[in-house]
Structure formats: C-alpha cells, structure tokens
Amino acid sequence: MQEQQISIQDIEGRGIPLRGNDIDTDQIIPARFMKRVTFDGLGEFAFYDHRYDDEGKPTKPHPLNDRRFKDGSILIVNSNFGCGSSREHAPQALARYGVRAIIGESFAEIFAGNCTAMGIPAISLPHHDIEEIMQTVEHDPATPITTHISDQVVSVGEHRYHFDLSPAYRNALLTGAWDSTSLMLANLEEIKATAARLPYISSFESVEVS
Amino acid sequence: MAENLFNKVWDLHKVKRLESGQDQLFIGLHLIHEVTSPQAFDMLRERGLKVLYPDRTFATVDHIVPTASQERPFGDQLAEEMMQALERNTAEHGIEFFGLHTEHQGIVHIIGPELGLTQPGMTIACGDSHTSTHGAFGSIGFGIGTSQIRDVLATQCMAISRPKVRKIDVSGSLSRGVYAKDIILKIIASLGVHGGIGYAYEYAGEAVRALSMEERMTICNMSIEGGARVGYVSPDQTSYEYVKGRRYAPQGESYDRAVEYWKSIASPEDAEYDDVFELDAGQLEPMVTWGINPGQAIGISEPTPRIASVDRGHREVAEKAYAHMGFNEGEPMQGKPIDIAFLGSCTNARISDLREAARYLQGKRVASSVKAFVVPGSRQVAKQAEAEGLPQIFADAGFEWRGAGCSMCLAMNPDKLEGRQLCASSSNRNFIGRQGSPTGRTVLMSPAMVAAAAVTGKIVDIREHL
C-alpha cells in the first residue's frame, strides 16, 4: 500500500498550452486504444487523432507534437476539459505522457474526480489568468512553472496566480492522504454501520427469484 | 424547508466526512463491465485487498462485444482478452456475471433496471459516465473512473463532494413526433454542455410525470452530456410498478416495505433546490445535433446557428464543428443525406424505442444509399422484440438486426463509421471520432427520426412522416 504515502507538494516543470473549450475524453484517448487490460503504454496514444496523420506519423499541428513543448509536464487548458466519457484512460494517458498537473478554467466533474483519485492536481484559474499563462508559455516555452500546493499559488516566471483548493483537499495532497481507498477502508466499522441502516439492506433485502 | 430526494438519499448513505474534505458515500449497487474494471482488479491485487461486498457488484459485457456474431473466441484478440479478464475477475471474487453465456447480457444501464437491481433510493456507481441513467428510478447514479471502481470494490464507498441540485421543471405535454430524447437535447442545448458541472439535475414537472420509465431513462442517461454527473426523477407509481416482480426486486411484504421507503425519499412538492430551470414541453419540436457536442442541437425547423450569434466562449467550438461536419451556418438540417442509420445505445435501445421505430417502418424500405442497423440494448429487449415480431419488421424494411451491445455508439467493436460517413444516430455523443472514424460525422436524434432518416435517405422531420 505505497500510494497512500506519496505527498504531493510543489510540482515544477514547463507548460504545455492546449487551447480549446469542451475537449472531451474521446479526443484525449480514442476508444479503440482502450482495448487493453492495463493502462501501460497509453501515453503514446494521448490525443492520437489530433497528432498522427494517416500514415501514423505525428505530423499534425498539436501542442504535444510541438518540439517547443516536448519537455512540458504541466498542461494548461481552457474550460470543461475532460467532458464526456468517464474513462480514466484519459488522465492515465496524460500522466503516462508525462503530465503531472493540469491548470485550466474548469474541468468536467468525472475527469476531475479521476485526477483527484490519481493524485494529479487539477487546478482552476479564471479565464484571463489562463490566457496570460498560455501566452507566456507560447512566447517562451522555457518559462518555469511551479504549482505550490501549500500556499495555493501557481508561479509562472515572475508572475504568481492564486488558486483555491479546499483546505482539506490541500492537506490531503500535502500529507499524502489523497489515496481514497486507504482513507475509506480505515472506516470499516462506519461502513458496516451505514449499510446496516439502509432500508434496502436491513429491511427488504432483494431476493433473487428464478 | 423540505429536503429534496438527492439530499435525503445522500445523507442516508453518508458514512463520514473524510480528511480530504469529501464525503465517504456508501454505494448500494455497483455495476461493472469489461473496459474500465480490469485495471481496478489489478490495483486490488497489488494491494492485497478483497472485494468488500461481492454481492453488491454485478457484471456484464457490452462495450467490446461484436453484434454481428457473438461466438467465442472473438475474432478480435484484444476484445477476447478483455472478456477473459472479466470472467477471471468475477469468478475469483464471487461476483455475479451476466455474460454471453446468460440470457441477461446487455448494455449495463439497460440490464440494471431490467433485472430490478436498480431501485429508488439507492446509490449506484459504475465505471461509465451514463450511469446517470439509473436516476430515472429516483436513485443516485454516479459515473466513476477506474481508481474509484477500485474504491468501490474495496470499500463499497466512493469519496465525493456533494453537488448542488438544480430542478429542471418541464411543464406541458409533448406533441406527436416529439420524444424524451428531444426534451434532454433541448435541455443540454439550453444550459450548455458544461452547464451542469457541480449540479445534480432533478427532472420534474407534468411532462416528466407523464413519461414511462424507459423515457425517463433516456432523459437521465444524457445528464452527463450537459455536465451533470447525476440526473434523476423523484419516484412515483410509475417507478414502483416498473420495479415490481423483477428478478432482484423485493417480493411480497418486502415489496410493500420497499414502497414505503421509496415514498419516504421522494422529493416533496415544497422541496428546496439550489437552482430551477423551466421548460415547456409543448413548445418542443424534434431535435437534431448539427455539431460536435450534444449541446450543439437545434429544432428540426430551425437553421443552423450563425457563428456571430453564438456566445463568444463557444464560437471556436462552433467553427470547429462546421469545419468537421462540412455544414454551413444558417442552413437547414433537413434534407442532408445520411449514409448510416444506427438505432441502439444505452440512450435509446429499449423495447419502447424499438417499437416506436418499427411502427414507423412497417411496410417501408430503407433507402438504397443507406446502411441501417438496429442493436437491441439487451438480450431481454431482443427476446421481447422477437415475441412481438419486431425483427421481421426491421428486416423487411432493410434494417440489419444485431446482437446486444454498445455497438456503434462508441465503436470499441467491429461496428464503426468509415471515412466521412454521416450517421443518423439514436446514441448520446456526436464527438469527433466517437463512432470509430476520425473524420466520421454523427447527427443525434430520436429513434423515430433515425428510422425516418433511414427510409428517406436524409434528415427529415418525423412529424411530416407519421
């Protein structure tokens, strides 16, 4: 049970500006690449149809194909990122590509939940901040970016942008208590007590009839 | 201040507040399928954990199953491996599996209600975003990712923050040729594909009350397309009757106690909501999508929107949509020739959907330019359709009759668009590439509209063909 120990504090890296609202998880990882029983190797298929031509060469204009951003690990996106299918293959593909944090205007809920469960901070900033960060990175891809979880600030070069995380979630990332399985399994007695008070378990448990 | 259903059911299932600030919520029913579960079982193995309540998880296979022939082993080795992984995992952990060896295999969101597993007042989770479907019963259904499937397997709980609740009040009654699908497409077009982020949607009002359970499922199914992870209808007599007598439904005195509970969690008339949105069903016409997300939808008599009239924040997506679809702004959708007609998916492949399409198709022929096929949502839907003679009607009209599965909704199986084909589809997503071809094009509509498009070879207004 090693995952529960990992504390997520400052994430430093370069940015990858990925413009566009409503980018759905079918774009992030097309369904045909989900025909596998592990998440291994998904990184190379991230945004496949946006990046690869008919001959399977990464020739299409896309930030993940852009040599200027090839060392990037902090994805910068617009609004409603990750909408559509619940597939965790999407954030898993991004993580395996090398993304360690995502900064955007807003995130689809299931996608954000998957990021949380994986320990990838999905940080929201207002539109004008995102636009400024994208322009900064597009102008100078080497601009260092750091997401400071403890003081809730993204620093981009000389600029600092404040973001909000719930105190509890921030604490969870910092202390490594973001691993929900361990957190919840610790409450085994309460789980059983909750089950026992549910009418459909205690009072009229369904019986299979053949 | 009276509590709405959502808050009552949430409070009942809340185990405790976690250090992460989220609530730990007990999940009454967990449904799994072959695509998003294998990694979750591996995670359990890595941690040496067991499934905490194996009798509260049920499995089926839907996404990758071929629909033309369901013989094993599958022709596609990768699909076969996924199938075997699910067989292994369910056997190892003692989980009931409605596989291809049973009469109950089908799309996960169709078999849950069909078997009576889905009941009012439950929390339900499944590694699929269309789990909101189950909300039609007055349960709370969450689409979850694989790490959360691991959570539910290991703890029967998920960690989640409580959303707000928006009441979608649909008044009036639907005109002939206008369906539940049109209600939800209109809601998404009105509130936007991200309008529901942070909200659960409660569908209410006289138009919703008048709908059958299957129609309510169609509406709840597409909640996620409007950004709402959860969508539900407060239960009523229609819901109680639907559940009664089903395989996993409470029987006899148990059923009576169940109805008491179901009534207790219903939203009262004076329930409080964080927001309300009103819609008049009487004003609706058949809806079609013109773009690349389900919010880009218009009434069939309307022209496609002018870019200049689109909100600034959505213009870029509108431009991308026109470029992909090859449509122009300000033109009608009616008359656009289609290549494929797909009648299926967890949105619209229940018996009532098939009946409605078959009623229209009786004595008609699919246009020679169109390939049309119908994929029943489950083996039970197929069996019922057979009892009513529907496959023959479809076959006589030129529709291929297939085996149950997700099919061309997401093309993780042999059913795929080719090249730039245009598909009239009863499914839920018109995302670029969704139906298997990166350049393929999807127009979402009701099953009756799909049938009419198949026969005429183009997008038409079903009201002129009834």
Side-chain angles (χ1 to χ4, degrees):
Chain A
M1 308 247 304
Q2 265 138 31
E3 280 93 327
Q4 72 193 90
Q5 309 299 338
I6 300 170
S7 157
I8 293 168
Q9 310 209 8
D10 296 351
I11 298 175
E12 298 176 35
R14 291 181 176 189
I16 308 170
L18 178 62
R19 289 182 179 272
N21 295 331
D22 307 323
I23 292 177
D24 59 79
T25 52
D26 274 85
Q27 310 309 310
I28 300 172
I29 186 85
R32 62 185 185 277
F33 299 118
M34 290 159 58
K35 265 197 241 164
R36 54 190 66 227
V37 294
T38 71
F39 290 131
D40 299 342
L42 278 183
E44 61 182 294
F45 303 120
F47 287 103
Y48 190 93
D49 291 338
H50 293 250
R51 295 171 60 201
Y52 292 87
D53 60 22
D54 294 343
E55 290 165 9
K57 297 204 173 80
T59 57
K60 292 188 184 176
H62 189 274
L64 296 197
N65 282 348
D66 193 328
R67 293 181 56 182
R68 293 180 302 154
F69 308 125
K70 76 174 171 51
D71 297 325
S73 59
I74 298 175
L75 195 64
I76 307 151
V77 301
N78 291 116
S79 75
N80 198 25
F81 186 74
C83 61
S85 159
S86 62
R87 62 189 69 165
E88 188 171 306
H89 301 68
Q92 291 280 0
L94 295 175
R96 280 162 171 73
Y97 175 87
V99 170
R100 291 162 58 226
I102 311 178
I103 304 172
E105 289 175 46
S106 64
F107 299 91
E109 231 164 290
I110 302 178
F111 182 86
N114 287 340
C115 288
T116 302
M118 291 170 60
I120 297 177
I123 291 162
S124 293
L125 285 175
H127 173 74
H128 56 85
D129 287 353
I130 293 293
E131 183 56 36
E132 207 171 278
I133 296 172
M134 282 185 170
Q135 284 182 12
T136 303
V137 175
E138 283 162 353
H139 181 255
D140 179 9
T143 309
I145 301 181
T146 307
T147 59
H148 305 274
I149 302 296
S150 53
D151 51 1
Q152 302 180 90
V153 165
V154 179
S155 59
V156 181
E158 301 301 307
H159 290 86
R160 289 164 68 80
Y161 304 87
H162 179 79
F163 61 87
D164 288 317
L165 283 183
S166 77
Y169 180 50
R170 193 188 79 190
N171 188 48
L173 285 174
L174 292 172
T175 60
W178 52 271
D179 180 87
S180 42
T181 300
S182 318
L183 273 184
M184 296 196 292
L185 206 50
N187 304 324
L188 190 56
E189 289 315 309
E190 290 97 326
I191 295 172
K192 288 180 177 166
T194 305
R197 71 164 186 256
L198 290 171
Y200 60 85
I201 292 179
S202 61
S203 165
F204 54 89
E205 176 68 277
S206 311
V207 200
E208 185 186 350
V209 288
S210 44
Chain B
M1 284 197 197
E3 287 282 11
N4 57 50
L5 177 145
F6 186 86
N7 289 330
K8 284 194 267 190
V9 173
W10 185 287
D11 289 339
L12 194 60
H13 290 79
K14 181 173 164 179
V15 175
K16 68 183 292 186
R17 171 63 61 93
L18 293 167
E19 295 150 51
S20 62
Q22 297 170 304
D23 281 351
Q24 177 170 352
L25 207 62
F26 187 88
I27 298 301
L29 173 65
H30 185 208
L31 300 168
I32 60 173
H33 59 80
E34 75 282 13
V35 179
T36 56
S37 69
Q39 297 89 347
F41 283 106
D42 286 345
M43 293 176 194
L44 285 194
R45 272 182 212 108
E46 281 165 22
R47 296 178 181 212
L49 295 170
K50 289 201 167 347
V51 178
L52 189 59
Y53 286 88
D55 57 344
R56 306 212 76 83
T57 294
F58 294 83
T60 191
V61 59
D62 51 10
H63 288 63
I64 54 106
V65 292
T67 61
S69 160
Q70 300 187 331
E71 296 273 310
R72 297 283 302 279
F74 298 146
D76 179 344
Q77 183 55 33
L78 292 171
E80 179 61 28
E81 276 175 34
M82 295 177 83
M83 182 71 183
Q84 289 178 11
L86 187 58
E87 287 169 335
R88 247 189 342 265
N89 288 328
T90 49
E92 182 184 331
H93 293 278
I95 292 167
E96 183 82 48
F97 175 40
F98 296 108
L100 293 166
H101 58 291
T102 72
E103 285 191 323
H104 293 281
Q105 174 267 338
I107 305 177
V108 63
H109 308 308
I110 293 190
I111 71 160
E114 193 171 81
L115 286 161
L117 288 166
T118 303
Q119 295 169 20
M122 271 185 172
T123 46
I124 300 177
C126 174
D128 189 284
S129 62
H130 293 112
T131 308
S132 54
T133 310
H134 305 266
F137 290 79
S139 58
I140 302 180
F142 299 98
I144 58 177
T146 297
S147 296
Q148 290 166 309
I149 297 173
R150 172 200 66 202
D151 286 353
V152 179
L153 290 172
T155 71
Q156 201 60 37
C157 293
M158 61 184 285
I160 185 170
S161 300
R162 187 195 295 239
K164 295 178 189 170
V165 184
R166 175 179 289 144
K167 182 183 189 181
I168 312 269
D169 195 342
V170 192
S171 60
S173 59
L174 291 170
S175 316
R176 193 168 140 81
V178 186
Y179 300 92
K181 182 69 161 282
D182 302 309
I183 295 180
I184 187 61
L185 282 172
K186 181 68 182 181
I187 291 168
I188 300 165
S190 305
L191 295 171
V193 288
H194 57 250
I197 294 180
Y199 283 94
Y201 282 176
E202 176 174 322
Y203 303 100
E206 58 178 319
V208 173
R209 285 284 146 241
L211 297 175
S212 68
M213 283 315 301
E214 299 199 346
E215 293 170 311
R216 294 177 189 184
M217 284 188 244
T218 297
I219 292 185
C220 291
N221 173 273
M222 288 186 73
S223 301
I224 186 63
E225 313 310 337
R229 190 179 199 170
V230 168
Y232 67 92
V233 176
S234 187
D236 56 16
Q237 203 56 38
T238 305
S239 334
Y240 314 148
E241 291 296 330
Y242 184 96
V243 177
K244 195 173 189 173
R246 292 183 183 269
R247 181 164 166 175
Y248 287 91
Q251 314 287 327
E253 280 181 24
S254 264
Y255 176 80
D256 299 335
R257 284 199 297 279
V259 172
E260 256 176 67
Y261 166 60
W262 300 341
K263 286 181 175 169
S264 77
I265 49 89
S267 288
E269 280 299 315
D270 59 344
E272 294 280 318
Y273 300 90
D274 300 289
D275 190 33
V276 177
F277 174 76
E278 292 176 353
L279 184 71
D280 179 359
Q283 299 294 314
L284 293 183
E285 57 174 345
M287 301 286 293
V288 287
T289 56
W290 55 269
I292 53 172
N293 70 48
Q296 293 177 321
I298 49 175
I300 188 68
S301 71
E302 296 176 70
T304 55
R306 297 271 172 199
I307 300 270
S309 72
V310 175
D311 283 348
R312 197 171 288 279
H314 298 295
R315 269 182 214 170
E316 184 220 324
V317 178
E319 281 165 7
K320 210 156 106 185
Y322 283 126
H324 180 78
M325 298 301 287
F327 300 161
N328 299 305
E329 49 182 325
E331 65 177 9
M333 286 296 291
Q334 280 190 70
K336 293 203 179 295
I338 67 156
D339 305 296
I340 304 286
F342 170 56
L343 183 50
S345 88
C346 57
T347 311
N348 278 126
R350 296 180 191 84
I351 189 67
S352 56
D353 300 313
L354 271 46
R355 281 181 194 139
E356 194 63 23
R359 198 160 63 91
Y360 165 82
L361 287 170
Q362 189 115 40
K364 297 191 177 73
R365 272 303 288 178
V366 169
S368 58
S369 57
V370 173
K371 181 185 164 185
F373 64 114
V374 51
V375 185
S378 70
R379 293 188 165 191
Q380 288 300 301
V381 169
K383 191 174 164 189
Q384 180 61 31
E386 278 154 22
E388 298 176 22
L390 304 188
Q392 195 58 50
I393 297 173
F394 282 111
D396 289 347
F399 265 79
E400 281 179 44
W401 176 260
R402 298 287 187 84
C406 296
S407 185
M408 203 189 270
C409 176
L410 88 168
M412 278 195 77
N413 47 69
D415 304 335
K416 291 180 172 66
L417 291 183
E418 290 170 11
R420 292 195 75 234
Q421 280 179 331
L422 186 71
C423 179
S425 182
S426 71
S427 58
N428 43 58
R429 285 188 177 134
N430 50 341
F431 296 152
I432 294 175
R434 172 77 179 182
Q435 293 194 290
S437 164
T439 51
R441 297 169 297 161
T442 305
V443 177
L444 302 177
M445 57 186 81
S446 69
M449 286 279 281
V450 170
V455 167
T456 57
K458 57 192 191 224
I459 295 169
V460 293
D461 185 343
I462 181 69
R463 294 172 300 179
E464 293 166 11
H465 295 263
L466 284 174

